[in-house]
Amino acid sequence: MFLVAFPFLHEWPFFRLFLGEYRTFNATMFAVWLLVLLGMNLLTGYSGQVSFGHAALVLASAYLTAVLSQQYGFPLWGAIGLSGAATAIVGWVTIGIPAVRLRGPYLAIATFGLMLAFPQILKLNVLTQWTQGALGIRGGVVEPPGFLGDVLDGREWMYYVAMSMAVVMTVLFLNLTRSRTGRAFVALRDSEVGAEQMGVDVPKYKALAFGVSSLYAGIGGGLFFAVQGFVSPDSLGLIDSIFFLVAIVIGGLGSVLGSIVGALFLTFQSEAISALAGFVPGANNLRNVFYGASLIAVIVLFPKGIAGFFQRPLWPKLRGWNLGRLWSSRS
Amino acid sequence: MDLFLQQLIGGIASGSMFAILALGIVLIYRSTGTLNFAQGQMAMFSMFVAWSAMSTGMGFWPAVLLTLLSALAMGALVEWLIVRRVEGTSDLNSLIVAMGLFLIFDGLALYIWGPLPKSFGPFSFFSGGASCVGGVCIGRLNLGILVVSIVTTVLLYLLFQCTRFGLALRATALNRLASRLVGIPVGRMLSTGWGLGTAVGAIAGILAAQSLGLDIRTMFFVVLFALAAAVLGGLDSPVGAVVGGLIIGVVKNLAGTYTPSSVGSIDLAVAFAVIVLVLMVRPNGIFGRPVRMRV
Amino acid sequence: MTLSGKAWTWVVAGLLAVMFLGTACVEGVGEFPAPVEEAPVPGVTDDEVVLGTHTSLTGPVAVYSQIALAINAYFEYVNETKGGVNGRTIKFLIEDDGYSPPKTVDLVRKLVEEDRIFALVNGFGTPTHLQVVDYLQENGVPDLFVATGATEWVKDPEARPMVFGSIPNYVGEGIILGQHIAETYPGLKLGLMSQNDDFGADGMTGIRRGVGDALDIVGEETHEVLDVDLASQVDRLHAAGVDVIAIWATPQHFATAVKHARLNLNWDVPFVLSLVSANELTVLLAGPEVIEGTVSLGYLKSAFEIDDPDVAKHHKLVQDYMGGENGNTLTLYGQYIGELVEESLRRAGRDLTREGLIEAAESITDFWCSICLGPVNTSPTDHDPVQGGFLVRAEGGRWVRFGDLVTYEGVLPGDMMVEDLTR
């Protein structure tokens, strides 16, 4: 376990050369997005619920972490854990349970409303003593603990923390999806009626999926604040929220690999589009056309996402499942 | 009381803009099950087409007609060329296609027409002053928007309920297999659904341009409210889209007006709280048909 | 742990692949083993200095990409006609964040850590730039002339020595416009409209201070960026019996407000607006008749003054180096930034360091850029280059200057800013 999380700790100069400063930051953000997308994938890929509002959960947890660590003197890591737990409960009770009756696009837009309204809530006069209104909350640089201070600088420490959290949570994710609970999620994604007939308590598991998913979003959000050192009501926007969903569908629903590919997509999208536009002179105004065309091309070529194409299915039974059944009224 | 009535009129005016765009979203959803996030940017594209037509010296109404025809063709083409490629995979895939279309139309408009806004309207009967009764006013601009919205809705209703063509469209939306069996050209109907939806979107775009101006971002945020309206009314119900749009417009205005200022502004939060509450009671929207569940 | 051996291999292989292939390979395998001999100052070589910016080439506010493109055009012009500054040509890297703060972070860190820019110039957008301003501070990267008037950039130069503003800050601008309101409409009722964020809050702070108790503030309305129009807000002020409106909004929002008042309410209430929306965008969106008589602030010459040789020269620059037809308010602003950067680099001398650039940028005295209407002054306690301008009034779709040069300098001295503006 230790070796997985700290693969080259004993060879740190090598590591530093290998990655470079910016790539270290990329890898750190990758870990953050991976956490968020694992949560999204659990919700959509495993339990069949669609959320456009996960950025609001991430933002909420980032804010909670910021308030706890900056204003109430909690240690940063404790604040992240606490915010993750709080977000999980909020997601479970206030979103998961009401969402039980909603499906497909109805759930998607209802959660999207959360994302639309949330920045306005953060700026409410009654909350500004904690949220600082539109100006946001600053975090500052996170220094490594004393005994590592000579070996790592702040950003490398951040990378190891984020990446090891991502690895631990990935392992937990795999365990969960293979447990009884995970199989219940899959059953209700494939057919709610069928799951009910098999004795799955559908509302309970749907709400639970939202809760677990929110836990991942919450830990991702806490790390988001720690990594970026700043959070404001505009730190994550509507487009980011939509692109979380785009990322897992492109990456591949229903597998960890899908979340990994999705997180890579989120991490490198702006750079990739920049590079793409750089190849064609005078194409600055066409960036979005390239971007949109690539999205469509990927989903047409890989209807089950990129992971779905490269990966042998872990559960042969799942091949050919169609989320569409839950989405529309067509028979 | 004056303030209340004025807010009501304003809410209905902006709500009918949402309603018409939502109507387009519903037509497309009924056709291929795509939640069309690109609806706003496609409407924006059509607005620019209208502008281009008018800048060659064409009159307003001929330009509108040309725009509607081109939007019809554009929508059908998009369905035939792109959306059909993901047909039968998963509705989330068609959502990705919609996001792709959103980006493509956004980028194309930027490339063709540049980033600066264009001067556009108010034209024809939209221009002119307001008429006031007491403290309550209604301008030609708002009146025009209302009239066009009502006419559009009525025409669509007649098309769907009183023509064989409308019957075929409805049949395809209800049951594709059975429609094919009775000899309806299903593929063509799906394209037509997209075409109609895009054309209705273009009407919404032209209405929006009269009051908001013509700009790449004009529809960027309108579409969010239109999506909410479509969901609130029920995604497979055109009547629902209209009702949903009006509810959102009015609720948002009233929430903005009657929240104490010490709290801060909260109109968006209230509008979406209302949507969530309605969906709690009616999970498929106000007029939506329940999803049939099967094993 | 209930994982099977196979799954373990899979997890580890996947994550390791991502950690290393995903990152190292992008850089190119050939590069990593050689310990790079670091240049003493990032982005500076014998004949070149590399600057960068983040802006919105795409997305809802793509129109403002014109600013960065105009800055680039000006730098190209300087490179071609003057051989650059102090013998170094300027290379300007423009990254597109689409107005999304997480992307801004990615791209700014890429500019600083990968592309090794010497300084960031004219980062665009308050929410986007807020997300990176402290990163740039902590890493000692000059953050010159940010493209918004938020007081965040200028209120405490000691805490944030790297960052400089560029347009009159919104509080200062609000004070000037507030004083104009107080002088023109004493004893009447004032209505406030603002965007629900720093931009609006700063502007309203200024307006209140400028107005003092000369007018009664009877209505305060805010709106969100994603509000479609401001009709509801205008209706409320109308019902409150407001005589004059001060508004802090984007061109799109302001256009809907003024259009609604004039066309739907027959209400010719005077509007006093932030210079952010006193430009061609508003004229195109609302139409020249509708905005007639609205008052704002101008600190640069206007694009319509084609008889002015400097403005004519600017239009030529836009045609030659930007491939555009004509300049506008945004491109003029771009040239102003370009000239300001050129002046800072010139003052920093041949031996460029980041500290030297900051010292140079905060010692500009009485500098008149070719299209400025007033002098640019900075000091170690004043990172706000332009502190005033002329009042302008819309006439036939153009905002025409009237009165004398007005400034908030002195009204808002350095120390006072820090204390008064920290909310």
Side-chain angles (χ1 to χ4, degrees):
Chain A
M1 194 61 233
F2 188 77
L3 271 179
V4 176
F6 304 94
F8 290 101
L9 195 57
H10 54 294
E11 281 181 330
W12 61 270
F14 177 67
F15 170 73
R16 214 168 270 183
L17 276 178
F18 213 31
L19 286 176
E21 290 174 286
Y22 176 56
R23 297 305 167 193
T24 312
F25 173 73
N26 272 167
T28 318
M29 279 316 287
F30 164 80
V32 174
W33 296 139
L34 179 59
L35 281 165
V36 175
L37 293 189
L38 282 173
M40 289 283 289
N41 214 337
L42 188 82
L43 190 71
T44 310
Y46 288 84
S47 86
Q49 304 181 81
V50 183
S51 162
F52 274 136
H54 257 52
L57 291 169
V58 176
L59 202 54
S61 175
Y63 257 97
L64 200 55
T65 307
V67 170
L68 288 177
S69 66
Q70 303 300 311
Q71 290 163 24
Y72 291 97
F74 277 76
L76 185 62
W77 310 119
I80 292 177
L82 219 59
S83 311
T87 313
I89 292 168
V90 168
W92 187 10
V93 176
T94 64
I95 309 173
I97 292 178
V100 161
R101 294 191 63 194
L102 300 183
R103 318 209 136 69
Y106 294 94
L107 179 58
I109 296 299
T111 47
F112 195 49
L114 192 71
M115 191 57 218
L116 280 168
F118 193 61
Q120 196 176 37
I121 293 170
L122 284 173
K123 288 182 282 193
L124 283 182
N125 295 342
V126 288
L127 293 179
T128 43
Q129 56 166 314
W130 294 287
T131 61
Q132 318 291 318
L135 281 180
I137 306 175
R138 274 200 272 167
V141 181
V142 181
E143 294 299 339
F147 66 96
L148 283 172
D150 300 335
V151 193
L152 299 173
D153 67 18
R155 83 182 67 205
E156 284 164 340
W157 166 240
M158 209 56 239
Y159 164 76
Y160 280 114
V161 171
M163 193 50 100
S164 41
M165 276 198 194
V167 171
V168 169
M169 295 299 282
T170 307
V171 172
L172 291 179
F173 182 92
L174 279 173
N175 278 333
L176 175 73
T177 50
R178 286 151 173 238
S179 69
R180 204 184 147 74
T181 314
R183 285 196 298 274
F185 288 159
V186 174
L188 65 90
R189 173 198 68 198
D190 286 345
S191 163
E192 277 184 33
V193 179
E196 210 157 7
Q197 283 169 354
M198 288 189 294
V200 176
D201 183 349
V202 171
K204 180 183 144 196
Y205 278 99
K206 280 181 94 171
L208 187 65
F210 228 112
V212 179
S213 174
S214 305
L215 175 72
Y216 278 86
I219 292 180
L223 276 176
F224 179 86
F225 173 73
V227 173
Q228 305 241 331
F230 177 76
V231 64
S232 80
D234 300 305
S235 282
L236 286 170
L238 295 164
I239 297 287
D240 301 301
S241 204
I242 296 173
F243 271 85
F244 286 165
L245 189 71
V246 171
I248 46 160
V249 179
I250 290 278
L253 287 168
S255 73
V256 172
L257 186 61
S259 294
I260 292 177
V261 175
L264 280 176
F265 165 78
L266 283 184
T267 311
F268 291 106
Q269 54 169 341
S270 22
E271 203 179 324
I273 296 301
S274 248
L276 203 61
F279 285 130
V280 191
N284 268 335
N285 285 349
L286 277 173
R287 272 160 197 266
N288 271 354
V289 179
F290 291 148
Y291 198 176
S294 341
L295 285 187
I296 293 177
V298 168
I299 211 65
V300 169
L301 291 175
F302 310 114
K304 292 199 166 57
I306 292 171
F309 180 76
F310 286 111
Q311 176 204 6
R312 279 171 300 155
L314 282 176
W315 300 273
K317 250 179 19 187
L318 290 185
R319 267 183 302 185
W321 58 265
N322 183 357
L323 211 62
R325 252 187 268 167
L326 290 178
W327 260 83
S328 70
S329 53
R330 290 200 314 272
S331 35
Chain B
M1 194 59 202
D2 280 358
L3 178 61
F4 175 80
L5 286 176
Q6 190 69 56
Q7 291 291 336
L8 202 63
I9 292 174
I12 291 173
S14 58
S16 55
M17 213 148 63
F18 304 153
I20 299 298
L21 197 64
L23 207 50
I25 290 171
V26 164
L27 292 179
I28 286 177
Y29 185 82
R30 279 161 60 108
S31 142
T32 58
T34 307
L35 190 59
N36 190 16
F37 262 87
Q39 189 75 3
Q41 292 317 71
M42 288 168 81
M44 176 273 291
F45 195 87
S46 299
M47 284 150 58
F48 273 97
V49 170
W51 177 84
S52 284
M54 287 188 73
S55 66
T56 63
M58 201 182 264
F60 177 62
W61 292 109
V64 168
L65 192 70
L66 183 83
T67 306
L68 292 188
L69 289 176
S70 72
L72 200 69
M74 187 169 83
L77 213 63
V78 162
E79 197 278 336
W80 186 60
L81 282 177
I82 301 174
V83 179
R84 202 162 285 190
R85 307 299 130 215
V86 293
E87 184 79 69
T89 51
S90 140
D91 284 354
L92 280 180
N93 287 2
S94 71
L95 195 76
I96 304 298
V97 169
M99 282 313 294
L101 289 172
F102 171 93
L103 292 168
I104 287 177
F105 280 104
D106 189 72
L108 273 182
L110 188 67
Y111 184 73
I112 300 173
W113 290 287
L116 279 176
K118 308 287 180 216
S119 182
F120 192 80
F123 295 111
S124 183
F125 61 71
F126 293 101
S127 69
S131 343
C132 298
V133 179
V136 185
C137 297
I138 182 160
R140 294 286 288 272
L141 191 54
N142 274 351
L143 204 61
I145 290 175
L146 281 179
V147 169
V148 173
S149 306
I150 292 169
V151 170
T152 309
T153 314
V154 169
L155 283 181
L156 274 177
Y157 182 82
L158 293 177
L159 175 75
F160 272 101
Q161 302 297 332
C162 305
T163 64
R164 282 187 68 82
F165 175 67
L167 187 66
L169 275 173
R170 278 187 293 146
T172 319
L174 263 177
N175 190 331
R176 234 182 254 185
L177 188 64
S179 308
R180 190 165 279 138
L181 289 177
V182 297
I184 296 172
V186 168
R188 220 177 300 158
M189 285 300 138
L190 299 185
S191 297
T192 316
W194 266 80
L196 268 183
T198 311
V200 172
I203 295 177
I206 287 165
L207 290 181
Q210 306 291 321
S211 94
L212 309 178
L214 179 48
D215 186 12
I216 287 179
R217 68 172 239 171
T218 303
M219 305 305 279
F220 215 87
F221 299 121
V222 180
V223 71
L224 304 180
F225 294 97
L227 281 165
V231 162
L232 177 63
L235 268 168
D236 50 5
S237 161
V239 182
V242 175
V243 174
L246 295 179
I247 290 180
I248 289 181
V250 171
V251 166
K252 194 172 164 306
N253 270 13
L254 294 183
T257 308
Y258 296 107
T259 318
S261 60
S262 59
V263 180
S265 63
I266 198 167
D267 52 341
L268 287 172
V270 171
F272 279 94
V274 167
I275 293 174
V276 170
L277 285 179
V278 171
L279 289 180
M280 291 291 86
V281 184
R282 296 195 56 89
N284 298 296
I286 302 174
F287 293 93
R289 277 176 304 116
V291 181
R292 236 177 314 144
M293 309 267 286
R294 45 179 66 204
V295 181
Chain C
M1 297 267 162
T2 59
L3 279 184
S4 67
K6 193 176 147 203
W8 263 112
T9 326
W10 184 76
V11 173
V12 173
L15 283 173
L16 286 186
V18 161
M19 282 157 86
F20 297 105
L21 294 179
T23 53
C25 282
V26 178
E27 282 194 286
V29 182
E31 286 170 37
F32 71 84
V36 186
E37 198 62 39
E38 190 120 324
V41 182
V44 179
T45 61
D46 267 355
D47 50 5
E48 192 179 67
V49 53
V50 184
L51 307 175
T53 193
H54 66 88
T55 186
S56 275
L57 296 175
T58 58
V61 290
V63 63
Y64 294 98
S65 63
Q66 303 230 325
I67 298 170
L69 297 176
I71 299 175
N72 190 44
Y74 184 76
F75 287 159
E76 275 177 30
Y77 158 80
V78 168
N79 290 344
E80 263 182 42
T81 58
K82 307 180 190 171
V85 185
N86 293 330
R88 288 192 183 92
T89 55
I90 303 171
K91 187 177 172 191
F92 192 49
L93 305 176
I94 302 173
E95 290 289 359
D96 169 34
D97 60 20
Y99 215 58
S100 158
K103 286 188 191 164
T104 312
V105 175
D106 284 351
L107 292 167
V108 165
R109 293 182 84 131
K110 173 170 171 291
L111 283 171
V112 171
E113 296 166 10
E114 276 284 284
D115 304 328
R116 303 246 155 221
I117 53 168
F118 178 57
L120 192 84
V121 170
N122 200 239
F124 172 75
T126 306
T128 46
H129 200 73
L130 266 178
Q131 199 83 15
V132 291
V133 64
D134 288 313
Y135 163 77
L136 294 168
Q137 293 305 311
E138 283 149 11
N139 290 273
V141 183
D143 184 6
L144 299 184
F145 315 126
V146 181
T148 82
T151 44
E152 275 299 286
W153 322 137
V154 296
K155 72 179 182 191
D156 194 354
E158 275 173 26
R160 285 183 176 146
M162 295 290 154
V163 62
F164 288 76
S166 62
I167 64 179
N169 76 63
Y170 298 135
V171 176
E173 190 198 347
I175 290 177
I176 292 177
L177 293 177
Q179 285 168 345
H180 166 74
I181 294 172
E183 285 159 19
T184 322
Y185 309 100
L188 297 181
K189 291 177 188 163
L190 175 66
L192 304 180
M193 293 176 76
S194 63
Q195 191 164 302
N196 187 11
D197 59 10
D198 310 0
F199 164 58
D202 279 352
M204 292 305 112
T205 308
I207 291 278
R208 279 171 206 280
R209 181 141 7 138
V211 168
D213 46 13
L215 286 87
D216 273 343
I217 296 175
V218 296
E220 293 177 57
E221 297 295 337
T222 60
H223 60 270
E224 302 293 327
V225 174
L226 49 88
D227 272 335
V228 169
D229 61 42
L230 305 190
S232 173
Q233 284 85 344
V234 172
D235 285 340
R236 274 172 248 155
L237 293 182
H238 187 225
V242 157
D243 298 306
V244 52
I245 294 179
I247 176 167
W248 239 250
T250 59
Q252 285 79 4
H253 278 143
F254 169 65
T256 65
V258 66
K259 240 173 159 172
H260 181 70
R262 302 290 190 257
L263 300 180
N264 284 334
L265 296 177
N266 276 353
W267 189 29
D268 42 359
V269 60
F271 278 91
V272 175
L273 60 136
S274 163
L275 61 85
V276 167
S277 25
N279 56 33
E280 291 85 356
L281 308 187
T282 308
V283 182
L284 289 168
L285 288 164
E289 306 84 29
V290 167
I291 54 163
E292 189 77 10
T294 57
V295 170
S296 183
L297 188 74
Y299 64 102
L300 294 177
K301 293 173 185 170
S302 303
F304 64 81
E305 300 172 59
I306 41 175
D307 293 336
D308 185 298
D310 294 313
V311 175
K313 212 173 147 194
H314 171 76
H315 287 304
K316 180 121 185 18
L317 179 108
V318 170
Q319 285 154 8
D320 292 350
Y321 293 92
M322 238 177 105
E325 284 166 20
N326 265 317
N328 54 39
T329 308
L330 299 179
T331 60
L332 276 163
Y333 169 70
Q335 175 168 344
Y336 152 71
I337 297 293
E339 291 189 32
L340 218 49
V341 172
E342 183 194 7
E343 173 71 8
S344 308
L345 284 174
R346 195 184 63 71
R347 284 168 170 271
R350 174 74 193 159
D351 296 323
L352 271 185
T353 59
R354 283 173 166 172
E355 297 74 25
L357 181 67
I358 294 296
E359 270 172 36
E362 59 190 15
S363 66
I364 298 173
T365 40
D366 211 22
F367 168 69
W368 287 72
C369 80
S370 70
I371 46 173
C372 286
L373 294 175
V376 172
N377 285 300
T378 57
S379 75
T381 54
D382 168 17
H383 283 195
D384 198 9
V386 182
Q387 309 206 342
F390 287 83
L391 291 168
V392 292
R393 184 182 288 121
E395 289 167 16
R398 297 162 165 187
W399 271 278
V400 181
R401 291 197 287 281
F402 66 95
D404 301 321
L405 181 69
V406 272
T407 170
Y408 56 85
E409 213 169 348
V411 182
L412 207 62
D415 293 343
M416 208 169 133
M417 297 225 12
V418 184
E419 282 173 24
D420 288 7
L421 302 181
T422 313
R423 289 191 301 273

